[in-house]
């Protein structure tokens, strides 16, 4: 009779070995999965970098050729004189701002419009004569500009390609030459001498204004005019020393991109690709955003982490983190319709008349864009700062209480210093978030490509600017592929990519240091 026999028991060491093999296989799969994702991320980062370099690499060579034509065609010569004409026009605009300040003060004193105009009649005549004094210089710049433009066309296209149909009833005009352009120097000297004499006479007989604010502004304009006149000999020397055959060094293409204050495209005169005004706009908007986001984000994290009860934590934290889910275009529309208009209306109120740069005329400016970017950065700063505070060892807090410190002293002297590296890392990541934002700054920053007037003090933050992200989004769809403008936008993108990469690397270094100090 056959009897069933039980299976022999599995040897315990064999069971452990089989379990280790299964565990090792799972760990290998997990390692391959996450390691593969990390490799993909590195490959994508490298491809983005190579793509930016490939598309923007030809910019500096094309820009150097552009600068050489700028010199050999005489445009550089004309721009030396144009600097003086632009400075004279800027002084005339400053006189208009002085008049606005005087009118504002007289209006608050209860003067009627007729009384104000009668009081400002001497100043108006002074401003009119001041503006008219530079007409001859502006006309000279216009005439020489037409001549230099013709020379540039002859050099770039050839005389046969730019020749127009001849009119048999009129004699053919002689072609423009550099000799003709430089032959205008005696006329330039005469115009400058007359301009200097007229402005000196006007300054000596300048009227006195009733308000101290307007009079102080007028004195500033008079001082700037004296500096303007003192620079005449230097401009004359530059014109005399100008040489169209002097070679343009290779590094001029790089320095003009990094340090030039002009970004001018599609110009009949000369295109300039200087990143300074775009970089200045990005930095100013980011600075305003951090001024608002850092206190709100860090203080909210401290409150939720150390002070709020469970109900408050359940209510506050999700609402702050929900802000990150709002589309940036919606925030942009909110900035245009609500925030910008509210700031402009507030600047015109009676309660803020004492602010020297109020009221403002532009509702889309640095301040409007910065406030909205702060709203976008607060969730990032809040979440990371709260994590840093919660990761402080519990023993630090208990030791502080054991020594007799109260809650506020424990927060300010123990918890915040212990988590400072994490908080700084959160701020840097918030900075990386706002400096790379596009839609909000494109809609709310005003998009004026110029360095703001820092002589206005804090009023500089209420002026429109353009940013690096905004210029890429605005102009990339309109440029010709592989043109110098197209490659310049990729160079801006490369600079922006490098900035955000440096900010994130710095944040990671600080985070690692924070973790080492806690460990």
């Amino acid at each position: 009779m056959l009897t069933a026999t039980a299976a022999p028991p599995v040897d315990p060491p064999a069971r452990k070995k089989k379990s280790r093999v299964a565990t090792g296989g799972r760990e290998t799969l997990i390692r391959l999965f996450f390691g593969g994702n990390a490799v993909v991320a590195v490959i994508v980062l490298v491809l983005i970098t190579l793509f930016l370099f490939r598309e923007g690499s030809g910019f500096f060579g094309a820009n150097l050729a552009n600068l050489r034509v700028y010199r050999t065609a005489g445009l550089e010569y004309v721009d030396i004189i144009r600097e003086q004409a632009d400075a004279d026009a800027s002084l005339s605009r400053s006189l208009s701002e002085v008049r606005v300040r005087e009118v504002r003060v007289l209006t608050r004193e209860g003067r009627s419009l007729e009384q104000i105009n009668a009081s400002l009649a001497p100043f108006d005549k002074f401003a009119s004569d001041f503006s008219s004094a530079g007409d001859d210089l502006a006309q000279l710049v216009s005439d020489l500009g037409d001549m230099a433009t013709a020379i540039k066309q002859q050099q770039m296209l050839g005389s046969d390609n730019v020749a127009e149909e001849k009119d048999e009833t009129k004699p053919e005009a002689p072609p423009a030459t550099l000799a003709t352009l430089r032959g205008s120097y005696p006329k330039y000297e005469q115009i400058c001498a007359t301009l200097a004499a007229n402005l000196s006479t006007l300054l000596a007989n300048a009227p006195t204004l009733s308000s101290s604010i307007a009079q102080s502004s007028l004195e500033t304009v008079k001082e700037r005019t004296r500096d303007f006149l003192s620079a005449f000999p230097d401009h004359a020397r530059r014109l005399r020393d100008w040489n169209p055959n002097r070679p343009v060094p290779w590094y001029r293409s790089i320095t003009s991109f990094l340090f030039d204050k002009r970004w001018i495209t599609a110009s009949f005169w000369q295109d300039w690709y200087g990143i300074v005004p775009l970089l200045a706009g990005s930095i100013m908007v980011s600075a305003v955003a951090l001024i608002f986001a850092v206190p709100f984000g860090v203080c909210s994290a401290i409150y939720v982490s150390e002070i709020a009860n469970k109900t408050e934590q359940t209510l506050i934290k999700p609402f702050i983190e929900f802000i990150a889910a709002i589309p940036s275009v919606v925030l942009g529309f909110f900035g245009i319709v609500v925030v910008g208009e509210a700031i402009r209306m507030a600047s015109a109120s009676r309660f803020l008349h004492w602010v020297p740069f109020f009221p403002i005329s532009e509702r889309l400016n640095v301040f409007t864009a910065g406030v909205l970017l702060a709203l976008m950065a607060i969730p990032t700063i809040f979440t990371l700062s709260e994590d840093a505070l919660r990761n402080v060892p519990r023993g630090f807090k208990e030791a502080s209480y054991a020594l007799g410190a109260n809650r506020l002293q424990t927060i300010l002297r123990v918890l915040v210093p212990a988590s400072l590296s994490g908080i700084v890392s959160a701020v840097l990541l918030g900075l990386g978030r706002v400096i790379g934002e596009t839609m909000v700054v494109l809609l709310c920053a005003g998009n004026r490509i110029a360095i703001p007037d820092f002589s206005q003090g804090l009023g500089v933050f209420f002026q429109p600017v353009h940013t690096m992200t905004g210029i890429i989004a605005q102009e990339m769809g309109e440029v010709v592929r592989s043109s110098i403008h197209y490659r310049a936008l990729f160079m801006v993108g490369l600079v922006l990519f490098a900035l955000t990469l440096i900010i994130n690397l710095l944040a990671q270094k600080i985070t690692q240091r924070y973790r080492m100090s806690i460990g």
Side-chain angles (χ1 to χ4, degrees):
M1 180 177 179
L2 298 175
T3 59
T5 58
V10 179
D11 188 20
R15 184 186 297 115
K16 293 180 180 179
K17 183 177 181 181
K18 184 177 180 180
S19 177
R20 286 197 300 267
V21 170
T23 304
R26 287 195 298 269
E27 291 180 351
T28 301
L29 291 176
I30 293 173
R31 187 180 296 108
L32 289 175
F33 175 76
F34 288 105
N37 288 339
V39 171
V40 171
V42 172
I43 292 175
V44 170
L45 185 64
V46 172
L47 289 177
I48 291 175
T49 305
L50 293 177
F51 173 72
L52 290 174
F53 270 108
R54 188 195 70 177
E55 295 297 327
S57 60
F59 165 73
F60 292 113
N63 194 33
L64 182 60
N66 197 34
L67 293 174
R68 287 171 176 166
V69 172
Y70 174 71
R71 173 166 294 177
T72 57
L75 277 67
E76 185 180 41
Y77 183 89
V78 179
D79 276 346
I80 297 175
I81 307 176
R82 192 189 303 275
E83 290 178 13
Q84 291 178 278
D86 291 343
D88 179 75
S90 176
L91 291 171
S92 299
R93 290 192 298 269
S94 298
L95 290 177
S96 299
E97 295 173 1
V98 171
R99 191 184 195 281
V100 170
R101 290 188 174 93
E102 178 74 359
V103 169
R104 191 181 304 164
V105 172
L106 295 178
T107 302
R108 286 198 296 266
E109 293 177 355
R111 305 277 190 93
S112 64
L113 181 59
E114 292 76 10
Q115 292 173 331
I116 293 174
N117 290 332
S119 175
L120 288 175
F123 178 81
D124 290 341
K125 185 177 186 309
F126 167 78
S128 177
D129 293 342
F130 192 102
S131 178
S132 300
D135 289 346
D136 291 340
L137 185 63
Q139 184 61 45
L140 177 63
V141 170
S142 177
D143 295 340
L144 296 182
D146 294 340
M147 192 180 303
T149 302
I151 298 174
K152 179 180 179 180
Q153 291 177 346
Q154 292 171 10
Q155 290 188 357
M156 295 183 64
L157 304 178
S159 58
D160 294 336
N161 295 333
V162 298
E164 298 180 355
E165 295 182 0
K166 297 182 180 180
D167 188 349
E168 297 180 356
T169 62
K170 296 182 180 180
E172 183 180 357
T177 62
L178 289 175
T180 308
L181 188 71
R182 302 190 69 176
S184 64
Y185 181 77
K187 182 179 180 180
Y188 162 80
E189 280 191 321
Q190 181 181 0
I191 290 175
C192 285
T194 304
L195 176 60
N198 291 338
L199 293 182
S200 299
T201 303
L202 289 171
L203 292 181
N205 299 282
T208 302
L209 300 176
S210 60
S211 67
S212 59
I213 297 177
Q215 183 62 34
S216 176
S217 300
L218 178 59
E219 293 298 328
T220 301
V221 174
K222 291 166 66 175
E223 185 63 28
R224 288 173 54 195
T225 303
R226 295 187 186 97
D227 295 338
F228 167 68
L229 295 177
S230 64
F232 276 22
D234 179 65
H235 283 85
R237 177 191 57 78
R238 290 169 59 191
L239 288 175
R240 291 193 301 269
D241 296 342
W242 180 77
N243 182 9
N245 298 320
R246 187 176 61 186
V248 179
W250 62 268
Y251 58 83
R252 177 72 184 281
S253 177
I254 301 175
T255 56
S256 66
F257 174 73
L258 295 177
F259 304 111
D260 201 285
K261 300 178 182 179
R262 295 164 291 183
W263 181 278
I264 303 174
T265 59
S267 171
F268 76 94
W269 180 253
Q270 176 73 10
D271 289 347
W272 295 100
Y273 303 97
I275 199 174
V276 172
L278 308 176
L279 183 61
S282 296
I283 292 175
M284 291 178 64
V285 171
S286 301
V288 173
L290 291 184
I291 289 173
F292 286 97
V294 172
F296 279 102
V298 175
C299 293
S300 300
I302 294 173
Y303 180 80
V304 171
S305 175
E306 304 299 330
I307 300 175
N309 55 40
K310 293 295 183 181
T311 303
E312 290 174 329
Q313 291 177 1
T314 305
L315 180 65
I316 296 174
K317 186 174 180 180
F319 272 91
I320 293 179
E321 294 177 345
F322 177 74
I323 298 175
I326 301 177
S328 58
V329 67
V330 174
L331 288 176
F333 284 136
F334 178 74
I336 293 174
V337 178
V338 179
V339 178
E341 189 63 29
I343 293 173
R344 184 168 64 176
M345 291 178 63
S347 69
S349 66
R350 293 189 313 165
F351 303 102
L352 297 175
H353 70 271
W354 51 271
V355 180
F357 49 84
F358 279 175
I360 60 175
S361 58
E362 301 284 349
R363 64 175 179 172
L364 306 180
N365 49 53
V366 174
F367 189 82
T368 302
V371 169
L372 294 170
L373 287 181
L375 193 62
M376 301 179 66
I378 284 175
T380 301
I381 298 175
F382 166 79
T383 302
L384 297 178
S385 297
E386 187 196 14
D387 291 341
L389 289 165
R390 292 188 182 278
N391 287 331
V392 175
R394 185 178 180 83
F396 286 20
K397 186 191 300 185
E398 295 176 349
S400 176
Y401 287 140
L403 293 174
N406 57 33
R407 176 183 289 178
L408 182 60
Q409 291 172 330
T410 300
I411 291 173
L412 296 180
R413 298 185 179 182
V414 177
L415 296 179
V416 172
S419 60
L420 186 60
S421 297
I423 293 174
V424 173
S425 176
V427 172
L428 288 176
L429 290 174
L431 173 61
R433 173 75 175 89
V434 300
I435 203 171
E437 175 56 37
T438 302
M439 189 55 64
V440 169
V441 294
L442 186 62
L443 294 176
C444 300
N447 298 339
R448 178 187 294 173
I449 308 177
I451 297 178
D453 184 9
F454 288 94
S455 64
Q456 298 293 324
L458 292 178
V460 71
F461 292 103
F462 293 89
Q463 299 178 19
V465 296
H466 219 319
T467 62
M468 292 185 289
T469 54
I471 202 72
I472 294 173
Q474 183 179 13
E475 297 185 354
M476 181 56 75
E478 302 176 357
V479 298
V480 179
R481 184 178 178 85
S482 300
S483 65
I484 182 174
H485 188 185
Y486 174 86
R487 298 187 184 280
L489 293 176
F490 272 93
M491 290 306 303
V492 174
L494 187 61
V495 172
L496 181 63
F497 178 74
L499 284 177
T500 54
L501 186 62
I502 291 172
I503 291 172
N504 283 280
L505 289 176
L506 187 59
Q508 291 179 8
K509 292 292 183 182
I510 293 176
T511 303
Q512 291 175 2
R513 180 180 177 184
Y514 161 74
R515 291 174 178 171
M516 292 174 60
S517 64
I518 295 299

